[in-house]
Amino acid sequence: MVRSPSCVGALRERAGESLLHRVAGPEAHRKRARIHGTPGPRWFGPDRPVRTVHGDASMYIGGLAALLLQSLHPTAMAAVAAHSGFQGDPWGRLQRTSTFLAVTTFGTSQDAEDAVARVREVHDRIRGTTSEGVPYHASDPHLLCWVHIAETECFLRAYQRYGRAPLDPAGEDGYVADMAEVARRLGAERPPGTRAGLKARLAEYRSELRATPESRAAARYLLSEPPLPSLARLPYAFLAAAAVDLLPAWARTALDPPAATRLLRPLARPGGHAITAALRWVITAT
């Protein structure tokens, strides 16, 4: 049976709306109108690399890779496990994160400043002790920098592999510098401003990183137990394999991904390209 163009269009629109609401929440259209439509100065102009990267469908792969990599800092992972609600309310956490990225990247300077202030207020309240007795505070500049460089690295790597048009070296440096602007406002310690600086900062943290029961549990949940309808499970499996494939070899070994993800790794790159192409097709319908 050949589907009519109107039927395909309707399916595309429904898929786009479903994806938008999962990622941005029930008020997705209102949020998008405010972020993009409110007049006023922005932190980043339309030609800045951060807008190119964060406006691309490769962010879905980069975002999952970032969560996996961030989990390998035991102190940061303990704070996430205790306070973020990533298992109890995974879509809520995703919506809050995606809204913050959208506002700081595309929104007015005032809205971006307000978003940073809200996050800093939340971080000030989050503190505790890991299972090994190590105290933590979410506003710790060292931990904030780890979260920042892990997501910067993964977003950039995902875009360079799956984005519409990979950045040149100057564009890569520009993206890292743009991200550093936000990180400094959040209170991160010495966020790097170049691609080489990002690589060096990641190396500085290497001795602090290792898998824990919490990080492996998070990886299993994110890779093989996502709260998705059955029809979305197969595409998500390829997205998950592409995210794992972005990670450094030592990180993949440490996290010990589920067998299904390991089996799909040989298809991670073609699968990742197919998923990002499908996401772009769906997103343009909303």
Side-chain angles (χ1 to χ4, degrees):
M1 178 187 297
V2 178
R3 292 185 181 273
S4 69
S6 61
C7 181
V8 172
L11 287 172
R12 179 186 182 190
E13 185 174 354
R14 283 201 297 272
E17 287 291 331
S18 176
L19 179 65
L20 180 64
H21 288 164
R22 282 187 181 275
V23 172
E27 297 187 341
H29 289 287
R30 184 190 62 78
K31 288 180 185 177
R32 185 162 64 179
R34 177 177 176 84
I35 291 168
H36 295 277
T38 303
R42 263 72 177 163
W43 283 354
F44 305 108
D47 60 337
R48 291 306 303 168
V50 70
R51 291 175 68 111
T52 299
V53 174
H54 291 180
D56 190 79
S58 60
M59 285 287 285
Y60 288 88
I61 295 174
L64 179 54
L67 291 174
L68 295 169
L69 186 58
Q70 288 166 350
S71 76
L72 288 171
H73 194 294
T75 310
M77 184 62 227
V80 169
H83 300 278
S84 79
F86 80 96
Q87 283 189 313
D89 182 24
W91 294 118
R93 183 175 186 235
L94 174 62
Q95 289 157 16
R96 291 188 293 273
T97 301
S98 66
T99 298
F100 179 81
L101 286 169
V103 170
T104 53
T105 303
F106 302 104
T108 66
S109 298
Q110 185 59 60
D111 282 350
E113 289 169 7
D114 291 344
V116 166
R118 285 193 295 272
V119 170
R120 293 195 70 148
E121 287 176 7
V122 171
H123 284 170
D124 284 343
R125 296 194 299 269
I126 294 175
R127 61 182 70 227
T129 306
T130 72
S131 60
E132 297 172 342
V134 177
Y136 62 79
H137 189 187
S139 62
D140 178 353
H142 188 69
L143 285 183
L144 286 171
C145 189
W146 164 246
V147 172
H148 161 70
I149 62 175
E151 69 180 16
T152 301
E153 173 73 5
C154 290
F155 292 163
L156 183 54
R157 292 183 95 179
Y159 183 79
Q160 293 298 85
R161 185 173 295 179
Y162 300 110
R164 286 185 183 276
L167 302 172
D168 61 15
E172 290 188 276
D173 284 347
Y175 176 71
V176 177
D178 290 345
M179 289 290 279
E181 286 292 320
V182 181
R184 275 191 287 271
R185 294 169 189 267
L186 284 170
E189 170 189 82
R190 295 188 297 117
T194 65
R195 187 72 178 88
L198 176 61
K199 181 178 180 180
R201 282 296 266 145
L202 286 163
E204 289 178 21
Y205 279 86
R206 179 64 185 88
S207 63
E208 301 176 33
L209 309 178
R210 59 182 173 82
T212 61
E214 291 88 354
S215 66
R216 290 198 176 102
R220 286 194 303 272
Y221 177 77
L222 292 169
L223 297 172
S224 62
E225 303 169 17
L228 289 168
S230 56
L231 287 176
R233 289 298 180 103
L234 181 58
Y236 184 86
F238 282 100
L239 186 149
V244 169
D245 192 57
L246 276 184
L247 298 174
W250 66 265
R252 289 196 298 268
T253 301
L255 286 171
D256 189 24
T261 304
R262 295 197 302 272
L263 287 172
L264 285 176
R265 264 206 67 217
L267 299 174
R269 295 201 185 192
H273 283 292
I275 289 298
T276 49
L279 286 168
R280 287 189 192 103
W281 182 77
V282 166
I283 290 167
T284 55
T286 60

